[in-house]
Amino acid sequence: MKFRLILFIGVSLCLLPCVAEESIAVPEVVRNQVETVRNRAAAFAEKNGHKNEFFKAPYSVRLAERNKYQENAYIFQAKEAYNIEILPDGRLIEVFNFFISRRSGNGRFEKQPQPTWSQEKAIQVAKEYVVSIQGEFPKNLGEPRATFLNRNRWDEKYYQMGEWKVKWPRIDKSDYKYNGLEGVEVYMYESEGPFAFFVNMYSHFDGVNFEPLKLEEVMTEAARRAQETTQWSAVKGMFSRGKLLPEKAVGKLEIVQPNYFGTGPEIPTRPDLKARLAWVIWFPWVADDDTNPDPKHPRRGVCVWIDAQNKKWLGGDAFAQ
């Protein structure tokens, strides 16, 4: 799709509509949501002393498949300004400020930037942003975790501006945590404020109406599946000349989307959206020459998911150094 480039001089950007060469029928609930989000994002920026004109820029709209939701999303984008993604039912899944991210992310620092905010401060700012954008704080989220990220530039000689990442993991009514990326994330710079907001709540879970099996009841099947995974052609090269350490395996109950990792010719990319409660079991792997940097916590291994109700294998993952 091609979009025409339009220059506006002396005109208030907030008065300009979506501009695109190809029109897309946008549901009213989606159109109302994007306007609400733009106004709320601009208001939050103004309230906190940051530039707010970016969210007043005119946008183009397109449809794009979002594999993790297994449906299309409406992408509202203003070049070099922002990106807003909304599902057909009006659910907001992304707000991204390109201008702040690119300007601050391209900074060059010889020394590793250090935070001036505390973790509590970062969580407070992130929560205020989420409430400002959503109108209320989402339900079914666990305790937040704030991390200050120091990243090298592409040339690896300097550092980018440090940024905060705050994540609330998704949980169910019984406080079981969803495995993987599910939850709410906010990324922000101390000097510029939030620049990215992601809502990852895509799987469907019916709840737990059974007594979960104990870890020892599923370990035999889990160990067998872990060993089979190391021989899978897609990852076999990662696990040559070494062995798994089943005696050091650790497990926890989490909600997972079955992906049946370890079957077929390729790594699966479309997980089952119907989630299950499973034992998520990590089997560390050690090389024959013991070259792992930390033998107690090897960074290579296999994660296996076993259904906590019927011992069925649901998939998992594999990690390399």
Side-chain angles (χ1 to χ4, degrees), residues 15-259:
L15 301 177
L16 298 173
C18 167
V19 178
E21 288 187 0
E22 295 181 22
S23 61
I24 292 177
V26 179
E28 183 177 2
V29 64
V30 175
R31 183 74 70 184
N32 291 340
Q33 177 72 304
V34 72
E35 294 305 327
T36 298
V37 170
R38 290 207 309 161
N39 291 333
R40 286 175 173 174
F44 180 87
E46 183 175 8
K47 177 183 176 182
N48 290 275
H50 304 305
K51 294 183 178 181
N52 69 349
E53 63 267 26
F54 313 117
F55 285 99
K56 297 178 182 179
Y59 55 75
S60 60
V61 60
R62 61 186 174 88
L63 276 171
E65 183 181 9
R66 288 296 172 257
N67 186 56
K68 59 189 177 183
Y69 287 94
Q70 296 185 17
E71 61 180 311
N72 290 331
Y74 291 89
I75 316 299
F76 299 87
Q77 188 173 93
K79 186 177 181 181
E80 299 184 357
Y82 62 81
N83 189 86
I84 298 173
E85 299 193 13
I86 300 174
L87 295 176
D89 61 4
R91 281 180 292 161
L92 176 68
I93 60 175
E94 179 180 319
V95 179
F96 197 96
N97 189 318
F98 287 118
F99 184 86
I100 291 178
S101 175
R102 288 172 179 169
R103 185 174 68 174
S104 299
N106 287 331
R108 189 172 71 173
F109 300 87
E110 292 185 355
K111 295 183 178 180
Q112 193 175 53
Q114 299 299 317
T116 59
W117 291 355
S118 65
Q119 291 182 326
E120 292 74 17
K121 170 69 172 180
I123 291 171
Q124 175 189 346
V125 174
K127 186 173 183 178
E128 289 176 355
Y129 183 69
V130 172
V131 173
S132 296
I133 297 297
Q134 293 277 67
E136 61 181 5
F137 194 74
K139 299 178 181 179
N140 299 323
L141 294 177
E143 290 299 315
R145 178 180 180 181
T147 307
F148 188 74
L149 306 174
N150 286 314
R151 294 174 175 166
N152 285 99
R153 282 166 45 90
W154 60 271
D155 52 20
E156 297 187 353
K157 295 180 180 179
Y158 301 94
Y159 292 95
Q160 297 178 348
M161 181 183 292
E163 64 189 57
W164 281 98
K165 171 188 176 182
V166 178
K167 178 179 179 178
W168 288 267
R170 185 183 180 188
I171 60 174
D172 86 320
K173 60 184 179 181
S174 299
D175 289 336
Y176 287 116
K177 180 182 175 183
Y178 284 69
N179 178 267
L181 299 176
E182 294 212 46
V184 170
E185 294 180 345
V186 175
Y187 292 79
M188 53 196 174
Y189 297 113
E190 292 183 352
S191 60
E192 302 277 2
F195 66 88
F197 170 45
F198 303 104
V199 180
N200 295 307
M201 294 185 177
Y202 32 83
S203 61
H204 309 293
F205 184 58
D206 294 332
V208 179
N209 56 4
F210 57 89
E211 184 66 28
L213 295 169
K214 294 180 173 58
L215 178 60
E216 55 268 26
E217 295 180 279
V218 303
M219 277 300 298
T220 299
E221 174 65 6
R224 182 178 74 84
R225 289 292 186 176
Q227 188 60 46
E228 287 182 357
T229 300
T230 64
Q231 301 304 307
W232 182 36
S233 59
V235 298
K236 187 175 181 179
M238 293 164 43
F239 299 103
S240 60
R241 297 185 299 278
K243 61 181 180 181
L244 290 174
L245 302 176
E247 68 277 10
K248 293 186 177 182
V250 293
K252 55 186 176 182
L253 283 169
E254 289 188 337
I255 300 167
V256 305
Q257 287 180 273
N259 64 5

